[in-house]
Amino acid sequence: MGDEGNPLRWSDRPELGPDVLARIDTSVPHPARVYDYWLGGKDNFEADRKVAEAAIAATPGVVEGARDNRAFLGRAVRYIAEQGIDQFLDIGTGIPTAGNTHEVAQAVNPAARVVYVDNDPIVMVHARALLRGTPEGRTAYIEADLRDPESILTHPDTLEVLDFSRPIGVIIVGTLMHIRDEDDPWRAVKGFTDAVCPGSYLAITHLTADFEPERMNALANSYNTGPLWVTLRTREQVERFFEGFDLVEPGLVPTFAWRPDGPKPEALIPGSYGAVGRKR
């Protein structure tokens, strides 16, 4: 994985361009690129792989957990689209891979619209190059930070693609655990949930030590080195993100248990919560 499997050096990647390359510090790991490594992608660097491998060594099953998180995204977006929602705000989208939000939503409704948000310039370059939607729908890509909701909600591309007078599906999958308590992720999420109208949906996954404290604390300890950080949160803390929302059955459950398409893979451990809520 990573640079070794890529016939071009990163400096030779024409789609990145000198302006993007100038903003990428390959010596500093980034959550989106660590996640990309776990999913079998090639858009990661040595610093990302070191963190990813340390987490794998500390917590067997972390790769399966990352794939489970991605599978939840697909099920949640499909469910929300099947409720008639045709516009989505995907925050912390990550590097594109199979089953992206617009692909799932537009399979239900070809006219679905999606705004993708991430704070990694590599993610945005690949999103613009690869996340092409249907002719009937729309997709837009914003480089911004979840901790600054106003910059996302007032961005011209957001306002061009999304109609906030109608329900929106807000997707924040695999992202909030990277926001420290002192940065108040609940305030950030409330910025988005206050902006959408009743009938909108919120989908979240979040790492927790509630089920497997020893394993999950080992994962956090291996990951929390240098600039990267994960915060494991309890059921009560994750439920706070859904203030003003009614949870869809089966509620806040281990990610793999939320409306599964099939039986739980044997390798999975319950290390994260997943839920979808509808705004009252």
Side-chain angles (χ1 to χ4, degrees):
M1 287 186 254
D3 301 347
E4 299 87 351
N6 191 336
L8 294 175
R9 293 174 300 146
W10 278 94
S11 58
D12 292 331
R13 294 288 292 271
E15 72 273 24
L16 294 180
D19 58 328
V20 175
L21 287 169
R23 293 188 291 121
I24 298 171
D25 185 348
T26 62
S27 68
V28 178
H30 189 282
R33 300 194 299 265
V34 173
Y35 189 57
D36 175 71
Y37 181 84
W38 286 334
L39 293 178
K42 61 182 178 59
D43 296 307
N44 47 77
F45 301 101
E46 182 62 27
D48 307 308
R49 295 191 288 275
K50 284 182 178 178
V51 173
E53 287 292 349
I56 291 170
T59 313
V62 70
V63 171
E64 290 80 5
R67 292 171 181 169
D68 171 52
N69 188 73
R70 187 72 185 182
F72 170 90
L73 170 71
R75 298 196 306 274
V77 170
R78 184 176 69 225
Y79 171 84
I80 295 170
E82 288 172 347
Q83 309 315 301
I85 305 302
D86 62 359
Q87 44 182 2
F88 293 81
L89 179 60
D90 185 337
I91 306 165
T93 180
I95 293 170
T97 184
N100 300 293
T101 294
H102 77 281
E103 293 171 326
V104 177
Q106 290 176 354
V108 177
N109 180 354
R113 296 174 165 227
V114 178
V115 172
Y116 288 104
V117 181
D118 205 284
N119 66 353
D120 183 353
I122 286 181
V123 170
M124 287 296 95
V125 168
H126 286 291
R128 293 185 180 102
L130 300 175
L131 301 183
R132 303 298 185 188
T134 61
E136 305 94 321
R138 289 285 305 278
T139 52
Y141 322 96
I142 299 172
E143 187 180 336
D145 197 302
L146 180 153
R147 292 168 292 187
D148 185 8
E150 190 69 13
S151 69
I152 296 168
L153 295 168
T154 62
H155 194 286
D157 291 348
T158 302
L159 297 176
E160 181 182 349
V161 174
L162 303 181
D163 177 0
F164 283 83
S165 71
R166 299 192 300 111
I168 294 172
V170 180
I171 311 298
I172 313 178
V173 168
T175 303
L176 289 168
M177 58 269 203
H178 298 298
I179 310 298
R180 302 177 190 236
D181 284 350
E182 53 264 39
D183 289 330
D184 199 351
W186 298 277
R187 177 201 58 79
V189 171
K190 195 170 189 303
F192 298 108
T193 58
D194 282 352
V196 298
C197 68
S200 294
Y201 285 82
L202 173 65
I204 284 175
T205 62
H206 202 297
L207 291 182
T208 184
D210 283 1
F211 306 105
E212 296 274 355
E214 185 174 343
R215 284 188 176 187
M216 295 309 296
N217 282 313
L219 170 63
N221 290 337
S222 68
Y223 193 94
N224 293 349
T225 56
L228 291 186
W229 192 266
V230 293
T231 298
L232 307 176
R233 295 192 169 99
T234 65
R235 166 181 287 274
E236 291 73 20
Q237 290 174 313
V238 178
E239 284 176 338
R240 285 179 56 195
F241 292 117
F242 290 93
E243 180 183 345
F245 285 69
D246 295 319
L247 293 181
V248 171
E249 289 295 331
L252 185 66
V253 294
T255 307
F256 57 72
W258 195 88
R259 297 177 176 259
D261 292 327
K264 163 185 169 298
E266 289 301 318
L268 282 178
I269 61 172
S272 66
Y273 281 117
V276 173
R278 185 178 187 273
K279 186 170 182 177
R280 293 191 286 270

